[in-house]
Amino acid sequence: MTGLVKSVLRRGFNAAERGCDRVFSPALNPFAQLGSLGYFLFWIVAASGIYLFIFFDTGVVNAYASLEWISNDLWYHAGIMRSFHRYASDLMVVVMGLHLLREFSLDRYRGVRWFSWLTGVPIIWFLYISGITGYWLVWDQLAQFVAIVSTELLDWLPIFGEPIARNFLTPESLSGRFFTLMVFLHIAVPLLLLLMMWIHIQRISQPRVNPPRALMAMILTALLATSLWKPALSQGPADLSRVTSEVGIDWYFLPLYPLIDLLSHGVIWALLGGFTLIVLVMPWLPPLKRPQAAVVDLDHCNGCARCVEDCPYEAIRLVPRSDDLPFPNEVAVDPALCVGCGICMGACPSSTPFRRSGELVTGIDLPDLPLKELRDRTIATAATLRGPARILVLACQYGAASGRQDATVSLPCVAMAPPSLIDFILSRDLADGVVIAGCAERACYNRVGVEWTKARIAGKRDPYLRDRVPRERLAMIWADRNERRRFEAELAVFAETVAKLPQTGPRMVRATPSQPSGKSARELVL
Ligand code: HEM
Ligand code: SF4
Ligand code: SF4
């Protein structure tokens, strides 16, 4: 069932993402930036909130009047800030919802990835409480409705000695202290939200918390245009002597409020509790994923820290050397953090398939698909290639070529393949061309696999693909699972191009000093 929901969602996201690729360009695609957009919107809300506080009167008597002053007399600065504050908060809800659904559809929340998902749950609550307490402070008719419905709902829980809804029975019963408590909550809860947002990304290496500048400029322009076109206004002063009949609802923050009025409070709490519980346990629901963690072989590790740099999930630490080799450091993998992507193996200078003798071992290896097996599979698959152009596909198991059998070596991530493997395939004439088939650029299952692979091939990141590798025999196709047809079409075009290239005979290449020798760190030292 969840598989079906995920696949429908992924199709929907993929269609929207491809559309946005065309409109914004892949680098500015907002779908690939939802987390960082959440951060950016938070800062806008915080900055506009601080600005508003200069002019806002926090007393229950004057709160409404001060906001009227802000929106009418000071509309050209504080009024615009008020609209920024409201619309950026609304947008934050949308961005958070899309981010949650997208991570779910990409299946990036299960197994050892539970941490970001679990810490996302309090973020939902804190964001909603921040917004709801904000509406309360306006002390207009909507605020009155929100205050009464919220306190009645809270009174259902056996927490408070006296019903807090009593505060809103008559104008006289409303105490200034209660209002001050709301002001306090509207500042304290967003601070907790920020703390949670920080904790949320602690297990992610080099998290993207700033969207590209052009995207920030677009968001600011859109907020300004909306603020001028439809300024955020109040809905008439609150009057506790009258029952509010019709109020305009903010459907981003208050979608449940009309329902709370209709359903019993017990049902509402059951819905909220049920939703929270289901989201909380989702990472542990079957089918569970338990890839084996990467393992370090100290005899082949010189402590260069490339794997530490490239691991997307902060799973590798540089620690003082524990053996007799003359290097200051070695690395250690935390199995509780490792998702088994193999990117570290692709980064390690010891991962060279050119080794001719002895066991093919590397500094950091994946028990599920060790380097030796990867080389053996590559050779075996290459031996089955036929046709005018023998094309070998190195495929990410989450991209368009997932599940492909013929001419394909499947990997947990394309960045697991060290660039020397491509050199090996072409220089040993195992194939006429190599295709790296990864996830869509904007939706890499392992966050940075696409980025690192592109940088390594372009010679911008270690370990890079050597100059001697004929680039016309290499293609990279980035495509989502739902883009199988496009993938096959691009593959066919590449095969045609390769077929027209001059034939090359077997080119056995000897190890040169600049080529990784394949010797272990211990062998090199001795
Ligand atoms: C406004 C609220 C939120 C903000 C600002 C935010 C921000 C972020 C950021 C910056 C990242 C790292 C992205 C990257 O560099 O790859 C991230 C990852 C993630 N977020 Fe959120 N997040 C929010 C809410 C949520 C919620 C509500 C959930 C789900 C309950 C969630 C689930 C995740 C997951 C699972 C990842 C990790 C994906 C992976 O393993 O690659 N987030 N978030
Ligand atoms: S397999 Fe992936 S997550 Fe695990 S240590 Fe290597 S790079 Fe990090
Ligand atoms: S395992 Fe490889 S990449 Fe990591 S520090 Fe050791 S030699 Fe460097």
Side-chain angles (χ1 to χ4, degrees):
M1 177 66 185
T2 39
L4 182 69
V5 179
K6 246 178 233 169
S7 128
V8 171
L9 272 174
R10 194 59 228 139
R11 270 171 202 276
F13 270 114
N14 188 46
E17 287 166 16
R18 286 177 72 188
C20 282
D21 263 355
R22 275 178 228 124
V23 178
F24 294 92
S25 82
L28 296 183
N29 193 326
F31 281 101
Q33 299 288 342
L34 291 169
S36 61
L37 281 177
Y39 265 84
F40 179 56
L41 289 165
F42 178 88
W43 296 124
I44 298 180
V45 175
S48 54
I50 292 169
Y51 193 83
L52 278 180
F53 230 69
I54 302 171
F55 307 96
F56 179 64
D57 191 319
T58 54
V60 64
V61 183
N62 294 326
Y64 179 83
S66 70
L67 280 166
E68 285 299 282
W69 176 55
I70 285 172
S71 287
N72 297 324
D73 301 320
L74 310 181
W75 69 267
Y76 51 94
H77 60 102
I80 290 180
M81 281 299 128
R82 183 181 179 191
S83 302
F84 263 63
H85 196 65
R86 184 180 292 180
Y87 295 137
S89 311
D90 285 346
L91 197 53
M92 202 168 159
V93 173
V94 176
V95 161
M96 180 184 71
L98 287 174
H99 171 60
L100 183 160
L101 289 174
R102 189 167 182 270
E103 296 306 324
F104 170 71
S105 77
L106 285 169
D107 202 29
R108 291 202 295 206
Y109 65 98
R110 286 191 293 141
V112 285
R113 294 169 195 239
W114 61 269
F115 184 81
S116 297
W117 183 264
L118 199 80
T119 52
V121 180
I123 290 184
I124 308 177
W125 276 91
F126 288 148
L127 182 56
Y128 270 94
I129 296 172
S130 305
I132 292 166
T133 51
Y135 271 111
W136 202 309
L137 295 191
V138 180
W139 208 230
D140 63 351
Q141 285 173 19
L142 175 62
Q144 182 177 339
F145 170 71
V146 169
I148 292 170
V149 175
S150 311
T151 47
E152 282 176 359
L153 186 66
L154 284 171
D155 281 339
W156 190 88
L157 298 172
I159 309 175
F160 305 102
E162 282 190 23
I164 49 171
R166 268 198 205 158
N167 279 287
F168 304 98
L169 284 180
T170 61
E172 298 76 44
S173 57
L174 180 62
S175 86
R177 273 179 56 205
F178 197 79
F179 201 79
T180 312
L181 176 67
M182 282 304 127
V183 177
F184 169 75
L185 283 181
H186 190 57
I187 297 169
V189 178
L191 288 177
L192 285 177
L193 171 64
L194 181 61
L195 175 70
M196 217 58 224
M197 280 163 54
W198 175 77
I199 296 175
H200 184 61
I201 51 169
Q202 286 314 298
R203 284 201 178 175
I204 290 198
S205 61
Q206 304 166 47
R208 277 163 299 165
V209 287
N210 293 315
R213 283 212 184 127
L215 200 55
M216 291 197 230
M218 281 184 222
I219 299 253
L220 287 173
T221 313
L223 283 174
L224 182 63
T226 318
S227 304
L228 293 172
W229 170 55
K230 242 181 173 312
L233 299 173
S234 311
Q235 299 191 30
D239 183 355
L240 290 176
S241 60
R242 287 201 348 235
V243 177
T244 48
S245 49
E246 281 209 353
V247 283
I249 291 286
D250 176 321
W251 290 104
Y252 301 95
F253 276 105
L254 311 169
L256 277 185
Y257 274 67
L259 214 61
I260 300 175
D261 237 6
L262 292 176
L263 296 177
S264 100
H265 293 150
V267 172
I268 297 290
W269 280 118
L271 284 175
L272 289 174
F275 168 78
T276 308
L277 203 70
I278 288 177
V279 180
L280 277 176
V281 300
M282 271 170 64
W284 294 277
L285 291 179
L288 281 183
K289 286 193 160 185
R290 290 197 192 281
Q292 293 191 66
V295 285
V296 178
D297 186 318
L298 285 184
D299 277 355
H300 295 80
C301 168
N302 61 17
C304 70
R306 281 185 197 167
C307 54
V308 182
E309 282 277 307
D310 279 12
C311 171
Y313 291 102
E314 300 266 330
I316 313 174
R317 273 175 312 121
L318 204 59
V319 291
R321 199 82 202 180
S322 63
D323 61 9
D324 56 350
L325 286 182
F327 305 108
N329 296 312
E330 63 188 43
V331 286
V333 175
D334 183 344
L337 303 183
C338 173
V339 303
C341 62
I343 293 180
C344 49
M345 188 183 114
C348 183
S350 302
S351 297
T352 165
F354 282 100
R355 190 110 155 241
R356 264 163 287 160
S357 60
E359 275 277 294
L360 182 57
V361 192
T362 180
I364 189 160
D365 219 340
L366 264 199
D368 285 340
L369 179 55
L371 179 66
K372 181 175 180 327
E373 197 177 324
L374 174 59
R375 184 177 73 172
D376 292 351
R377 271 195 213 174
T378 304
I379 294 170
T381 312
T384 66
L385 299 175
R386 300 282 176 275
R390 296 164 305 147
I391 307 292
L392 187 73
V393 179
L394 297 177
C396 165
Q397 69 191 53
Y398 302 96
S402 62
R404 202 171 185 275
Q405 299 293 326
D406 293 345
T408 305
V409 178
S410 178
L411 307 164
C413 176
V414 282
M416 177 184 181
S420 52
L421 183 67
I422 299 163
D423 192 0
F424 179 77
I425 296 166
L426 292 175
S427 62
R428 296 281 162 102
D429 196 32
L430 298 178
D432 301 313
V434 174
V435 166
I436 296 178
C439 309
E441 280 177 274
R442 57 187 179 267
C444 173
Y445 181 71
N446 290 305
R447 294 189 55 243
V448 290
V450 174
E451 201 178 332
W452 290 174
T453 303
K454 283 190 344 189
R456 288 174 190 170
I457 301 295
K460 292 181 184 153
R461 191 176 186 93
D462 270 333
Y464 48 83
L465 185 63
R466 300 188 66 212
D467 284 345
R468 71 171 194 194
V469 177
R471 296 310 199 263
E472 66 279 11
R473 293 184 180 273
L474 172 66
M476 290 182 274
I477 305 179
W478 311 115
D480 190 270
R481 272 169 192 261
N482 295 301
E483 297 173 271
R484 186 65 182 256
R485 211 179 295 164
R486 172 168 76 79
F487 170 78
E488 293 296 344
E490 288 187 25
L491 178 63
V493 171
F494 175 66
E496 263 176 45
T497 320
V498 171
K500 288 181 196 143
L501 294 174
Q503 286 283 327
T504 52
R507 291 177 295 135
M508 301 293 285
V509 179
R510 284 171 194 281
T512 57
S514 59
Q515 180 183 321
S517 65
K519 283 192 172 162
S520 71
R522 189 172 289 280
E523 282 164 343
L524 283 172
V525 169
L526 296 176

